[in-house]
Amino acid sequence: MASNDELDVPQEGLAEAWRNALPDWLHGGDHAEVRIDGADPSALNVTIRSAGHTNMEFDFAVRYVDSREIDIQLTDVEKDGQTVDERTDIIQQLIGDYRRHLHETAQALHHYTHS
């Protein structure tokens, strides 16, 4: 059965909406970069640079399951340009925080993604 709630917004417009909204949910000093996923029109790639942990970068793939729900996959964690073990407690806590911020951003954009 096909969903009647598919995401139906231009991908670049969606990325721009995320670029504008995501900073409102991040901690002061954290920075995010939002890029379109060229292989999937319902997906974005998000890199968050953590202010409190020197040179830490978290890469996430954010895919819209429908116009309201997102699926978030962690794709990489780096410190000083080197991949690190993301299983440490502090990194797991940061991943959880950033996943929550990504969900909050998606919720804040329901007016844009859900027609």
Side-chain angles (χ1 to χ4, degrees), residues 18 62-66 68-72 102-103 106:
W18 271 77
V62 177
R63 186 180 157 279
Y64 274 83
V65 177
D66 58 33
R68 295 180 185 205
E69 183 182 350
I70 60 171
D71 176 63
I72 302 169
L102 293 169
H103 278 290

Side-chain angles (χ1 to χ4, degrees), residues 61-104:
V62 177
R63 186 180 157 279
Y64 274 83
V65 177
D66 58 33
S67 70
R68 295 180 185 205
E69 183 182 350
I70 60 171
D71 176 63
I72 302 169
Q73 297 296 320
L74 177 71
T75 58
D76 194 26
V77 178
E78 294 184 357
K79 180 176 175 77
D80 297 322
Q82 300 292 317
T83 298
V84 297
D85 182 358
E86 69 267 9
R87 295 173 292 184
T88 66
D89 288 343
I90 187 68
I91 292 178
Q92 282 297 307
Q93 182 179 4
L94 286 167
I95 291 167
D97 285 349
Y98 291 140
R99 288 176 61 85
R100 187 175 69 254
H101 299 324
L102 293 169
H103 278 290
E104 290 166 339

Side-chain angles (χ1 to χ4, degrees), residues 5-69:
D5 192 25
E6 293 179 15
L7 182 67
D8 189 27
V9 296
Q11 189 179 29
E12 188 53 55
L14 181 63
E16 187 63 27
W18 271 77
R19 286 181 199 114
N20 291 329
L22 183 55
D24 293 342
W25 299 102
L26 294 176
H27 299 291
D30 287 352
H31 296 282
E33 180 181 339
V34 179
R35 299 169 311 285
I36 62 172
D37 183 324
D40 184 349
S42 63
L44 301 170
N45 297 307
V46 179
T47 299
I48 299 175
R49 289 174 189 83
S50 180
H53 297 77
T54 308
N55 297 323
M56 293 287 296
E57 284 189 8
F58 298 80
D59 292 326
F60 296 93
V62 177
R63 186 180 157 279
Y64 274 83
V65 177
D66 58 33
S67 70
R68 295 180 185 205
E69 183 182 350

